Amino acid sequence: MLKKRLIGVVTVRQGWAVQSFGYRRYLPLGKPEVVVENLDRWGADEILISCIDRSETGQGPDFKLLERIAALGLSTPVIYAGGVRNGADAVQAVNLGADRIQVDAMLWDLPAELELLSRELGNQALIAHLPVSIRDGALYWRNYRNGEECLLDHAALSRMYLEWVSEVMLTDWVHEGTPGAFDEAIPKLFPLEEKPLLLFGGLSASAQLQRVLSLNNVVAAGVGNFLHYKEHAIQQIKRNLVGVPMRAAHYASEER
Amino acid sequence: MTRRTIGIVDYGVGNHASVLRAFQSLGYRCRVSRDPSVLAECDVLVLPGVGAYPTAMSALTACELVGFLQERARGGQPIIGLCLGMQLLADVSHEHGVTAGLGLIPGEVVPLTTVPWHIGWNTIEVVNGDDLLAPSDQQSVYFNHSYVFRAPEEYQVCVSRLDRSFTVGVRRGKVVGLQFHPEKSQSVGRVMLRNLVEGLTRA
């Protein structure tokens, strides 16, 4: 049976792993590769490396970071996000060790490029990232580079070429970094019911993770800051997700 | 124990780094190469691959590796195909048109029928009593694909299920194909790779 996934999210800004609070305030955690290595050892189902300033500054993907991470020899699937401008960027990121690519700015700037990415890598390797918030009972999509927001309705979604991606990550950017604050109405308001969703932003408590992961169209949840507050957080969360089809908690001591 | 050498076929498609590190972590000597003389000296060949089938077959052809791999398989050199590398072992693929494959294991590559793709951790069931994969029966491994290898039953060695079962492992003698990513399946995947290498190279 296909399992639901717990994704360890590593937010990278100016080359450093950071704890983010609503993408407004940041606290440094250290070298991204150290944080990523921990998540690998702790048995995350996937690791998302999200370089949040690469598109904003026009730097393109952080290939040097991917090279350093590849050298770690991770045994956990990696999703890379940040600065991907075209198919060549995406292919290079995969060749450097990313298993999947997440795009955000491209959905605003050049969504038709997604078809080219799909022809290179396949839809299964592509994830669309939508930072969203709820206002007056409606879902709004945010361009994180300039703060512009637009109503996330079928018309907006039709301009994104989402038929070329396999999954959509919805990030509650307002509550990101605030424990247990994820707005659970977000997945229910998303108009494309058939699209598998990944959720992120303010998800920390097992009870809340259990509720959102129980939704049919939610296939994974991302947890960021909260994994760094205590050891074995991934294992503890997994143990508490009763009734959710998850891979069992992994312990390094069990390795044969 | 003899230290085995793994030849990772470098044809410019996909992520060799993860595969290389996985085998190195198991203590194997590794060669990443497209040079037939280097690859022929290895104990096991590993054919990785990510992306689209036609692109991958074009790359293998451009590297003049198609005939080499067919000849090595006929000669009994163990070959392990991973993900797209597994699909390349088939006779033909229907991804983006019809493309001839390596033809090392009978079958064709077709789209998943009831879902558009298969992403994440899923359980495998070892079938036909395959001795090398038997220790991995009922383990969860990482998948990321939208096409599957439809092989005759006699070549199937493991299946997985969504709403119906489909082939995720094939074997013909010393040629093995795995649809999933053992190199990204944590300790479960590493145990499986070690069992395959040791089993396929056993005299």
Side-chain angles (χ1 to χ4, degrees):
Chain A
M1 164 179 214
L2 192 60
K3 314 294 190 296
K4 301 219 175 184
R5 288 123 59 196
L6 190 63
I7 302 172
V9 179
V10 181
T11 302
V12 179
R13 183 171 178 267
Q14 296 175 352
W16 293 94
V18 295
Q19 290 189 49
S20 167
F21 303 91
Y23 300 108
R24 291 180 295 265
R25 293 186 302 116
Y26 304 96
L27 287 175
L29 277 172
K31 291 182 177 178
E33 47 269 45
V34 175
V35 178
V36 167
E37 193 169 29
N38 283 339
L39 292 172
D40 183 50
R41 281 192 296 118
W42 296 340
D45 294 321
E46 282 176 321
I47 299 171
L48 167 60
I49 300 165
S50 179
C51 300
I52 60 173
D53 54 355
R54 304 297 294 193
S55 291
E56 199 171 7
T57 55
Q59 297 178 85
D62 192 340
F63 294 128
K64 292 200 179 306
L65 172 60
L66 280 170
E67 282 174 10
R68 294 199 301 276
I69 286 171
L72 299 173
L74 301 181
S75 59
T76 303
V78 168
I79 304 167
Y80 175 79
V84 176
R85 299 158 293 194
N86 49 43
D89 281 348
V91 168
Q92 191 168 349
V94 167
N95 287 343
L96 289 172
D99 296 276
R100 306 179 73 198
I101 301 295
Q102 183 170 281
V103 297
D104 181 326
M106 183 184 288
L107 300 171
W108 290 94
D109 301 341
L110 200 58
E113 188 75 13
L114 275 177
E115 181 178 356
L116 300 176
L117 266 67
S118 169
R119 291 200 178 278
E120 293 280 356
L121 300 172
N123 295 18
Q124 74 277 0
L126 301 177
I127 302 167
H129 179 238
L130 307 180
V132 294
S133 61
I134 295 177
R135 209 166 59 234
D136 301 327
L139 207 53
Y140 281 81
W141 173 37
R142 177 181 171 86
N143 184 337
Y144 71 91
R145 294 167 298 173
N146 57 18
E148 177 189 342
E149 289 189 307
C150 82
L151 183 66
L152 190 59
D153 56 9
H154 281 286
L157 288 163
S158 69
R159 295 192 293 271
M160 293 185 204
Y161 294 77
L162 292 186
E163 63 271 29
W164 299 109
V165 306
S166 52
E167 298 177 334
V168 173
M169 174 172 265
L170 299 176
T171 292
D172 182 349
W173 67 269
V174 174
H175 299 111
E176 189 266 347
T178 306
F182 180 83
D183 191 330
E184 294 179 40
I186 284 175
K188 294 166 186 164
L189 288 172
F190 187 65
L192 301 178
E193 291 177 8
E194 76 284 1
K195 208 67 172 174
L197 297 180
L198 324 179
L199 304 179
F200 177 62
L203 285 167
S204 60
S206 296
Q208 187 178 42
L209 284 162
Q210 181 158 345
R211 282 196 300 276
V212 297
L213 284 168
S214 297
L215 298 171
N216 281 339
N217 57 339
V218 176
V219 296
V223 182
N225 296 356
F226 315 110
L227 296 180
H228 309 299
Y229 293 158
K230 57 186 175 186
E231 290 186 6
H232 307 302
I234 290 174
Q235 291 91 333
Q236 287 180 20
I237 289 171
K238 285 195 162 194
R239 271 207 309 263
N240 292 333
L241 294 178
V242 180
V244 178
M246 301 282 289
R247 204 165 55 102
H250 169 95
Y251 291 88
S253 59
E254 293 171 346
E255 293 183 6
R256 288 172 281 179
Chain B
M1 187 170 68
T2 307
R3 191 178 180 206
R4 311 288 185 198
T5 302
I6 310 298
I8 299 170
V9 183
D10 176 13
Y11 59 110
V13 172
N15 168 19
H16 300 118
S18 303
V19 176
L20 171 67
R21 303 289 178 193
F23 283 103
Q24 285 178 331
S25 75
L26 292 168
Y28 295 116
R29 184 188 296 117
C30 294
R31 303 276 184 264
V32 180
S33 178
R34 62 185 62 174
D35 182 341
S37 66
V38 172
L39 294 172
E41 292 298 313
C42 296
D43 296 295
V44 176
L45 296 180
V46 174
L47 185 62
V50 175
Y53 199 101
T55 306
M57 273 311 294
S58 296
L60 277 178
T61 303
C63 295
E64 299 181 347
L65 287 168
V66 172
F68 167 76
L69 289 168
Q70 291 167 334
E71 182 237 322
R72 298 311 298 174
R74 276 196 300 273
Q77 186 171 12
I79 299 176
I80 302 172
L82 301 178
C83 197
L84 178 60
M86 172 256 211
Q87 297 181 355
L88 296 174
L89 305 176
D91 293 320
V92 67
S93 167
H94 296 276
E95 183 179 358
H96 301 312
V98 176
T99 306
L102 291 168
L104 302 185
I105 297 180
E108 58 182 350
V109 177
V110 296
L112 283 160
T113 51
T114 56
V115 293
W117 41 73
H118 179 210
I119 299 166
W121 294 79
N122 203 350
T123 310
I124 57 169
E125 299 167 40
V126 177
V127 296
N128 290 328
D130 189 85
D131 54 336
L132 302 185
L133 289 171
S136 303
D137 187 37
Q138 300 300 325
Q139 302 276 15
S140 286
V141 292
Y142 186 75
F143 290 89
N144 184 17
H145 65 111
S146 52
Y147 282 74
V148 290
F149 192 137
R150 193 159 63 194
E153 192 178 343
E154 66 207 89
Y155 299 110
Q156 297 174 16
V157 287
C158 58
V159 300
S160 202
R161 290 176 194 276
L162 288 170
D163 48 357
R164 66 177 68 172
S165 74
F166 52 94
T167 305
V168 297
V170 289
R171 181 176 174 190
R172 184 183 194 184
K174 292 194 172 185
V175 180
V176 175
L178 304 174
Q179 180 60 74
F180 43 90
H181 290 272
E183 79 281 9
K184 287 296 180 89
S185 297
Q186 298 176 356
S187 56
V188 166
R190 307 245 161 150
V191 168
M192 186 185 299
L193 289 175
R194 187 171 57 212
N195 288 341
L196 280 173
V197 169
E198 295 306 316
L200 290 170
T201 54
R202 205 172 293 137

